[in-house]
Amino acid sequence: MLVLIKKIPSAFIVGNSISLVLLVLVILYTRKIEASVEGLFIPPGTPPYPTAGLLTHTFEILCAISPVVCGFTFAVVRRINPHNINNFFLLGSTILTGGFFCNEIYRVHIILQYFDIPKLMTIKVYSVILFLYLLLFWKNLKATPYGIMATGFILIILAVLIDSFHSYLPVKSSLIEGIPKLLGIINLTLYFCLVCYRAIVNPLE
């Protein structure tokens, strides 16, 4: 038994401990606001036909790739070369893409409206964060195929603008917003995967 316990990596203990603590806190908070605890595990609605939400779920899956790849690459490269010039850039990219992923999955910009924080204010805050990211890591970005990233961000911003001003558009269709949004995340995912691949292949830069 002791041999088995010794073979358990510390990551297992830490990961499960943090997960249990967060799970208990979420359940306690949910009970405090008198909402149904069972609602925490409500499954997504069954699509009315096979392709309903197909591209939306594809978009969400793609959103998850960049923060995972960037975070893993940061952990690996930092271990190999603590002084790698891209370490801070990889960490910043993990935070940026992770925040975007959380917003899309948990609909943060929608939930904040329950607390009287308008959607436009949230968009402005996200815009400032993006500007600070570009300003802080411009030197790192110049050494990468940043044209791919620029294309992705432009398409995402276009989708946000369409969503914000959809009432003024003559054509009412989710495709007008969805297509540039999906193409945008495809380019961003491609960009960060290429950057992380190069960082792992050349960790001693």
Side-chain angles (χ1 to χ4, degrees), residues 13-188:
I13 298 174
V14 173
N16 281 275
S17 298
I18 293 175
S19 298
L20 287 173
V21 170
L22 291 176
L23 182 60
V24 170
L25 290 175
V26 170
I27 291 174
L28 291 176
Y29 174 76
T30 304
R31 295 191 64 178
K32 184 178 180 181
I33 63 175
E34 299 182 355
S36 172
V37 176
E38 297 294 329
L40 291 170
F41 289 99
I42 293 178
T46 303
Y49 50 90
T51 58
L54 174 65
L55 296 182
T56 297
H57 294 316
T58 301
F59 173 82
E60 292 172 342
I61 291 172
L62 289 172
C63 284
I65 294 176
S66 293
V68 172
V69 170
C70 288
F72 178 77
T73 303
F74 167 72
V76 171
V77 175
R78 184 172 178 269
R79 184 66 180 268
I80 297 174
N81 182 10
H83 304 292
N84 188 293
I85 58 175
N86 289 315
N87 285 350
F88 193 38
F89 170 55
L90 291 170
L91 177 60
S93 298
T94 302
I95 296 172
L96 180 74
T97 57
F100 182 75
F101 168 69
C102 288
N103 180 77
E104 291 301 319
I105 295 297
Y106 298 110
R107 312 300 289 170
V108 176
H109 60 292
I110 302 298
I111 293 175
L112 289 177
Q113 294 183 63
Y114 292 111
F115 301 95
D116 296 323
I117 301 176
K119 185 177 178 180
L120 183 59
M121 176 62 70
T122 306
I123 292 175
K124 289 180 179 179
V125 172
Y126 288 165
S127 299
V128 171
I129 294 173
L130 176 58
F131 175 76
L132 291 176
Y133 170 83
L134 296 175
L135 187 66
L136 190 60
F137 299 113
W138 177 240
K139 289 184 178 180
N140 300 87
L141 293 170
K142 285 196 299 183
T144 67
Y146 61 88
I148 301 175
M149 183 189 70
T151 301
F153 277 134
I154 290 172
L155 288 168
I156 294 290
I157 292 171
L158 177 61
V160 171
L161 291 174
I162 292 173
D163 178 54
S164 301
F165 301 101
H166 68 278
S167 59
Y168 300 99
L169 297 176
V171 180
K172 311 298 181 184
S173 174
S174 59
L175 290 176
I176 299 177
E177 175 197 354
I179 290 175
K181 195 173 182 180
L182 180 62
L183 292 175
I185 198 63
I186 288 173
N187 280 279
L188 288 178

